[in-house]
Amino acid sequence: MGAESSALKSCALKGPPVTLPSGLAVFPAELQDGRVASVFVYKRENEDKVNKAAKHLKTLRHPCLLRFLSCTVEADGIHLVTERVQPLEVALETLSSPEVCAGIYDILLALIFLHDRGHLTHNNVCLSSVFVSEDGHWKLGGMETVCRVPQATPEFLRSIQSVRDPACIPPEETAPEFTTLPELHGHARDAYAFGMLVERLLTDMKGQADALLSFRQALHSALLNPIPQRRPALCTLLSHDFFRNDFLEVVNFLKSLTMKSEEEKTEFFKFLLDRLSCLSEELIASRLVPLLLNQLVFAEPVAVKSFLPHLLGPKKDHGPEETPRLLSPALFRARVVPVLLQLFEVHEEHVRTVLLSHLEAYVEHFTPEQLRTVILPQVLLGLRDTSSSIVAITLHSLAVLVSLLGPEVVVGGQRTKVFKRTAPSFTKTTDLSPEGDRFSQPRTFPMNGLSDAKDTSGDSENFLPSPQVSEEWPDWSEPGEPEGRTVSTQVWPPEPARSPPTDLKVVQTGDDLKHSSLRDAVSPGGGSSGALGEHKAIPTSLPLTEEATPLASSQPQKTSPSPARPPKVSSRERRPKVPSELGLGEEFTIQVKKKLAQDPELDWFADMIPEIKPSGAVLVLPDLRTETVIPNTDGISPGMQFSSKFAAAEMTEAESEGWGDAGELNWGDSSW
């Protein structure tokens, strides 16, 4: 036992022991590598029994047999180290009926293995020989009483009588004519002891009334038969209806998943959710989660599509669920989260794909420390993978982690503001006018062709000085402006507004023309335009006998005419809008910003006068006393635009484009 002794030096006992009826103490322990274990402490005088038990545990490997780790001799006795287990007597009160049924099935499989494969007999099947592992499986221990069938003589049985449970001793051993059983019936002693153990366990078992009653009858008629030759082999009980329940069938199928066909696996995972819905959450969490969350199940397409979405996420506390869940948040954190932390360290593509596909459903149940130290480093590894699908799903998962850990943790702390918030807002009205809040109030216009909507802005009379004149819609089919209609001038792009002079005069040279003020200028139709930002030119005539001087912004007397400003209206004079005056309602009202009245001083082309030179053809001059010359800046036609009752002068293309360098246009030479 030298190797075992050196391996056990790092084992530390943790917690108080549990004493078995035979006097054996079982301590919880922890190995140097962090694994948990159990230590059975024997007295020094039982060294032969301990060596025999260690020998059988090392040579007999079965999932339902206690797993051996090490054995050594210490000052307080002989230590036999095994996997972490607890005696069934201690854990029995916490087990449910399906778990008891599955545990009985485990012990049955262990005994069948000993009888059929090892040709051994246990000789002490009782409650103190059964232990429960951390994953819920029952393990058969007490291997110090195991021997081969021919070696189970009356003498050997008397030598181990001190550790055997009297309830498991069959009645034939008390007969004076008792002899060694033939190998054909070597299982009879263990069959009787197993029947007594099951009979004791079934007293508190609930459910499966019919199957439970039938199983008890089989125990009494077969296993507990006083004649050993009439006790059947234990393998005959495997097909009993008592072991036909959803929990046990799911466990057995998952344990032998690699031996199932594709058709069997498809059928199993397709209806697995329905079979688990009748089981308790505690049973699913403690027994089935380790079997369902592993690499083998993640490799099954039917399981990934039909079942795992119901397990990779807890139930919601409030509200309906799109995907039904199996576990509550508390059980999910206690049972599923530790398994998921281990799975994130598995570097298999299909496992990582499944974990990241459902990350958003369960990531909130990790602690911040687990997210920073385990989940985030493992997720970042996917960015360096050669698989495009892994990189894509990794980027999606990082977006989920940003909302929990913050961008400083996920992508780093050195960030700058690259994108500005410049999206337009249609609910706010910005004051861009030079008059302050004069144009800040939204105006309501007729909607959907309805003219009964009232103007409730409160200042409409300031912009519509002639209410008798109705709004005229332009005829878009006409190529130009109709006769007698003034031309509105606009400049684009608009310049910042300045305060123009309130009284501007136009220099005129005709004797019959008088000085006029812009405030007295009225359109030929008898009214002024009500559109904001537009004004009509004042009818004037310029001399053609001499060259006109440039109109500079520094000379107010030569500045182009500017429309008069409407008087300001204080906010107190504006009456509030009444909901009944909104026409179709506020949801149908379009708020339009008023156009800005253009200051002619900032008009870049205000001081330019077109220069038109006569061509070789005869030029018919209009009567200067009645002719009105209107500069056109709307892009209708270059050059000049005359009244329809006069003929226009012919110009060549070069002459019509003869703009002066000094920013002025000459009407002709002085010889006219």
Side-chain angles (χ1 to χ4, degrees), residues 321-583:
E321 294 180 337
E322 297 180 359
T323 302
R325 308 292 186 179
L326 290 172
L327 302 178
S328 62
L331 281 175
F332 187 89
R333 287 188 292 268
R335 295 291 184 175
V336 179
V337 167
V339 180
L340 294 177
L341 291 175
Q342 296 177 0
L343 287 175
F344 266 99
E345 298 180 358
V346 177
H347 294 170
E348 295 185 11
E349 183 174 350
H350 70 280
V351 175
R352 182 56 56 89
T353 301
V354 174
L355 291 176
L356 297 184
S357 299
H358 303 279
L359 180 66
E360 193 171 359
Y362 60 81
V363 68
E364 295 180 355
H365 297 274
F366 290 109
T367 63
E369 183 67 20
Q370 291 171 341
L371 289 175
R372 287 192 299 266
T373 60
V374 180
I375 303 301
L376 180 59
Q378 290 295 334
V379 171
L380 290 175
L381 292 177
L383 296 177
R384 303 200 302 265
D385 196 84
T386 57
S387 174
S388 300
S389 60
I390 289 292
V391 175
I393 198 171
T394 298
L395 292 174
H396 180 272
S397 302
L398 290 177
V400 177
L401 293 177
V402 166
S403 61
L404 296 176
L405 296 176
E408 293 79 7
V409 178
V410 178
V411 299
Q414 297 182 358
R415 296 179 296 130
T416 59
K417 186 66 176 178
V418 178
F419 299 98
K420 306 298 186 294
R421 295 182 178 179
T422 58
S425 176
F426 296 100
T427 60
K428 297 186 297 184
T429 303
T430 306
D431 184 10
L432 300 176
S433 65
E435 297 296 330
D437 63 347
R438 193 173 89 189
F439 308 111
S440 61
Q441 299 295 331
R443 300 186 62 190
T444 304
F445 295 92
M447 298 297 298
N448 301 330
L450 300 178
S451 60
D452 58 346
K454 297 181 180 180
D455 186 5
T456 60
S457 61
D459 56 354
S460 60
E461 64 275 5
N462 297 322
F463 299 99
L464 298 175
S466 183
Q468 294 82 4
V469 180
S470 61
E471 183 181 2
E472 296 181 359
W473 293 88
D475 188 1
W476 302 108
S477 62
E478 296 181 3
E481 295 291 337
E483 180 182 359
R485 189 173 181 178
T486 59
V487 180
S488 62
T489 60
Q490 298 179 358
V491 179
W492 187 262
E495 290 292 334
R498 295 181 182 177
S499 299
T502 58
D503 190 1
L504 299 179
K505 297 182 180 180
V506 180
V507 178
Q508 300 173 343
T509 58
D511 296 336
D512 54 339
L513 296 179
K514 298 179 180 180
H515 294 282
S516 61
S517 175
L518 290 178
R519 284 175 291 191
D520 300 330
V522 184
S523 62
S528 60
S529 173
L532 182 61
E534 296 183 357
H535 65 275
K536 296 189 177 181
I538 306 303
T540 58
S541 62
L542 298 178
L544 299 179
T545 58
E546 63 182 10
E547 184 173 338
T549 58
L551 298 178
S553 60
S554 62
Q555 300 176 1
Q557 67 276 10
K558 297 181 181 180
T559 306
S560 300
S562 174
R565 299 178 181 271
K568 293 185 179 180
V569 179
S570 63
S571 58
R572 297 180 179 179
E573 298 178 1
R574 300 189 184 100
R575 60 186 182 90
K577 296 182 181 180
V578 182
S580 60
E581 298 179 355
L582 296 178

